[in-house]
Structures are given as structure tokens and as C-alpha cells.
Amino acid sequence: MDRGEKERGAAGMTIVRKAVRSARLQVRPDGSLRVVAPPSFDVEGFVQRNAAWIEERRRDLDRLAAEGRGREGMLLLSGRFYHLVPGARFAVDDARGTVASPSVPALQRNLSRMLKEEVSGRLEACPDLAGRWSGRIAVKVQRTRWGSCSTLGNLNFNLRVIALPEPLREYVVVHEAAHLRELNHSERFWRLVGEHYPDHRAAEAELRRYWVIIERNRVWSEF
């Protein structure tokens, strides 16, 4: 697949030159810009013409990230910010607000284990969704989605899900489990989700907010 040629633009901007019909502009969660444009396209002029939109989008992202401002160096876990401290073994101390781990890889392994165990338990609590499900659960570090369901019935969850508050973790599992019955986002799918998680629209909005917070978090960026 031709991914195009990348070049550096102004500070905080990535330009991808590809054989596309029209230019596309994306403001990333950290506020940086990504422009996909034809080889001879005037990117600088394009960005200038869209300056007002870019600033508005950046303000929206800053608003979504407000809860994590000043805590970018802390570990977001279960909707709470913890100080990450060295330790001989993985341990979460809610009273002190710390998470101990001997290394980043060890932290990732333990968070993956925690999430996989929780997902398994939640699926068992939703037999009408999972039924006689015989697929597998995988926890991965992903950059674009919270989870997915394959045509074979395998469920994949983003490690970032463990950073979310408990109600949102429940929603992500319900959402992906519903795909075991409806492998799409049709009306029937959303009715099914609504039967198990009525406030799914609010959950989707909160997921967008947490995605921005996590994208700006330095601890999560190490995974």
C-alpha cells in the first residue's frame, strides 16, 4: 500500500504527499496538524485558509483534555490519576494514590492481565450477548479504537480501556460483545446495545474525552 511521502511542515505539522483528489486536514488530540495533500498542493495556503477552524478545534480538544492538565506524567487507571513509583512488584495503592512497578514492560503486562480478567468476567455476566461464544480475547496497544470484533468472533480490546472509569469499561465490553450478534453499527446493533447500556450516547461522548486525555498522557505514550 502506498502510504505517501512524509515531509515536515511548520512546527507541529506533518504533511503526507499522496495522489489524492483533495487535501485533508486533521487536528490531532495533542493539537498538532496532519495534512494529506497531492504532491504540488499549496499546503501553507490551505492551512492559513483554515486557521479559524484549526484554532476552534484546538480549543475543543483543550476543553476535553482539561481533567488531565497538569497530570500528564501520572498514570490514568480506572478513571483516577496515580503516581507511578518503582517497586519490586506490581501493586496498586489506592490510599496513597500510587502504582508500583519494576519496569514499563512489567506495568504493561499487569495492566493487560487486569483488563483481560475483567473482560472475561463481564462477558460471563452477559450470556445473552456472548451466548456459547468460543472466540478469544486479546488485549493490544492500539492507536485508533477502543476495541473490535472479528468475523471469527474474536474480541480485541485496547489496553487503554483499563484507564477508563468502571462504567465506561463496562460500556466498551457491551459494545464489542454486541458485535458477536450484529457485526455492524446498524439500528439493530444500537438497539441491542441500548438494552444492556441505555446511556450509550453519553458513554460515547465520554470516550472521546478520555481518548484526548490519554493521547496527551506521557505515561500512556510509553506503551
Side-chain angles (χ1 to χ4, degrees), residues 12 44 83 118 178:
E44 185 178 345
H83 291 283
E118 180 174 342

Side-chain angles (χ1 to χ4, degrees), residues 84-201:
L84 192 59
V85 298
R89 61 183 181 84
F90 174 78
V92 179
D93 190 327
D94 288 324
R96 295 183 177 180
T98 61
V99 172
S101 182
S103 65
V104 172
L107 177 62
Q108 182 175 335
R109 286 195 301 272
N110 280 283
L111 295 180
S112 297
R113 173 185 53 78
M114 286 173 59
L115 180 56
K116 194 168 185 178
E117 289 174 356
E118 180 174 342
V119 170
S120 297
R122 290 193 182 280
L123 289 173
E124 290 176 5
C126 298
D128 55 329
L129 287 179
R132 296 182 178 180
W133 174 70
S134 59
R136 65 179 179 83
I137 300 169
V139 174
K140 303 177 180 179
V141 176
Q142 297 176 298
R143 299 298 181 191
T144 59
R145 60 178 67 184
W146 293 107
S148 62
C149 176
S150 75
T151 54
L152 298 176
N154 295 322
L155 297 176
N156 299 311
F157 292 91
N158 192 333
L159 178 61
R160 293 179 172 192
V161 173
I162 201 66
L164 301 171
E166 190 274 338
L168 291 181
R169 298 200 304 275
E170 177 186 359
Y171 169 67
V172 173
V173 175
V174 166
H175 184 113
E176 298 308 330
H179 280 310
L180 295 170
R181 290 176 54 183
E182 296 288 339
L183 199 59
N184 49 52
H185 286 102
S186 64
E187 240 180 82
R188 285 190 301 179
F189 168 80
W190 288 112
R191 278 201 302 270
L192 185 60
V193 170
E195 290 170 7
H196 293 81
Y197 201 101
D199 207 13
H200 60 84
R201 288 185 177 85

Side-chain angles (χ1 to χ4, degrees), residues 11-14 26-34 58 61 216:
M13 180 167 64
T14 300
Q26 176 191 15
V27 182
R28 292 170 165 168
D30 64 359
S32 63
L33 300 180
R34 183 177 187 270
R58 282 173 169 163
L61 291 169
R216 296 187 178 195

